[in-house]
Amino acid sequence: MRTVILAGGLGTRLGEETSVRPKPMVEIGGMPILWHIMKIYSSSGFNDFVVCLGYKGYVIKEFFANYFLHASDVTIDLRGGNGMEVHHARSEPWRITLVDTGATTMTGGRLAAIRPYLDPDEPFCFTYGDGVADIDVGELVRFHKEHGQRATITSVSPPGRFGALEFDDGKVVDFKEKPAGDGGQINGGFFVADPSVLDLVDGPETVWESGPLERLARGGELMGYRHHGFWQPMDTLRDKIYLDELWKAGKAPWKRW
């Protein structure tokens, strides 16, 4: 079963981080967040990936083409024709198809562009290249297969960003540091869908979230999988620093491997 990752966006709110690399290549704990997302899926046995490239996609191609250089100790012998010996090789059981889907293509258009790489008779997973969660992907896929509809969306509670104050007659009587959302659920990514949903994409300019997804919902063909655990997007530099601190402290909830 293939997993598609949308990795072509600009990531403008991350400033200098994305001036030289695409957003999914911004590092958390020394490895790209894209790698962390793939490890989440791999921990549930999903190891066949299709990555939708766009902005600076060559950086992602270079990373995986030279994965041993990035992840292992090596000896390079310039005397013998530039031979390379890999020490303590770190490898993953992954098969990765990297597809250029256009620099300005929207999310729906990117999904449609990788359709030739999907099995037409099998559902596929897909998610964004900038968010992590302690989600059980195997359970998500089982949920999708049991309900029998065309698509499943994972719903999450948005993380709190600011401390909340409670007032009584002008006095602050309570303070909650970064409380969770107000109970409302939002799109957390981590979809499972039948390839037929790509029939709803009209072209490269189609936005998955405001076109096909709305039509699936109105037609009763979209089911929601509620994830009550950890979920965090990396939209801003603050988010990046937060995730990096969790990883360095050994408290990264998404680390299921």
Side-chain angles (χ1 to χ4, degrees):
M1 186 173 182
R2 289 180 174 83
T3 296
V4 178
I5 302 177
L6 297 170
L10 295 174
T12 54
R13 286 190 288 174
L14 279 167
E16 292 182 1
E17 286 281 355
T18 51
S19 64
V20 295
R21 52 187 162 185
K23 187 178 181 181
M25 292 302 291
V26 173
E27 293 182 354
I28 302 299
M31 294 297 280
I33 192 171
L34 175 62
W35 178 87
H36 289 264
I37 295 167
M38 294 169 73
K39 290 287 282 187
I40 292 170
Y41 279 93
S42 186
S43 69
S44 291
F46 297 86
N47 294 303
D48 194 342
F49 297 95
V50 180
V51 183
C52 302
L53 306 180
Y55 173 70
K56 296 187 181 297
Y58 64 88
V59 177
I60 298 177
K61 287 183 177 180
E62 186 278 334
F63 175 79
F64 287 112
N66 296 293
Y67 189 78
F68 286 127
L69 278 176
H70 293 284
S72 306
D73 296 332
V74 298
T75 297
I76 299 175
D77 187 355
L78 299 181
R79 301 167 302 175
N82 202 29
M84 184 176 75
E85 180 183 358
V86 178
H87 308 284
H88 311 295
R90 285 176 53 193
S91 61
E92 307 290 348
W94 297 345
R95 180 177 185 271
I96 310 164
T97 302
L98 303 164
V99 184
D100 288 311
T101 57
T104 60
T105 307
M106 296 291 100
T107 50
R110 294 192 191 283
L111 290 172
I114 57 85
R115 191 170 192 171
Y117 300 97
L118 300 177
D119 184 335
D121 300 317
E122 183 178 57
F124 67 101
C125 295
F126 71 97
T127 193
Y128 306 106
D130 61 356
V132 290
D134 59 350
I135 187 169
D136 185 335
V137 179
E139 186 60 34
L140 167 64
V141 171
R142 282 191 290 273
F143 173 81
H144 175 79
K145 291 182 175 180
E146 287 173 1
H147 67 62
Q149 299 300 328
R150 293 172 75 188
T152 298
I153 183 174
T154 296
S155 68
V156 297
S157 296
R161 291 182 178 272
F162 305 100
L165 304 177
E166 183 178 330
F167 287 91
D168 182 16
D169 194 25
K171 294 181 179 180
V172 176
V173 297
D174 195 12
F175 175 82
K176 294 182 179 179
E177 176 65 13
K178 297 183 179 178
D182 60 4
Q185 297 283 292
I186 64 171
N187 170 19
F190 297 96
F191 299 89
V192 186
D194 186 275
S196 67
V197 301
L198 301 180
D199 294 337
L200 303 175
V201 176
D202 297 323
E205 72 288 345
T206 299
V207 177
W208 165 255
E209 299 79 7
S210 63
L213 205 57
E214 292 179 352
R215 292 165 66 182
L216 287 167
R218 288 195 298 266
E221 298 177 301
L222 178 66
M223 298 293 287
Y225 176 82
R226 288 178 176 266
H227 175 62
H228 299 289
F230 177 87
W231 174 83
Q232 178 66 50
M234 190 183 67
D235 292 328
T236 66
L237 185 58
R238 173 187 289 184
D239 297 332
K240 189 267 185 192
I241 293 172
Y242 173 59
L243 292 171
D244 207 37
E245 288 176 344
L246 286 176
W247 183 267
K248 290 177 179 177
K251 298 179 179 179
W254 69 90
K255 189 178 184 297
R256 299 175 57 88
W257 57 91

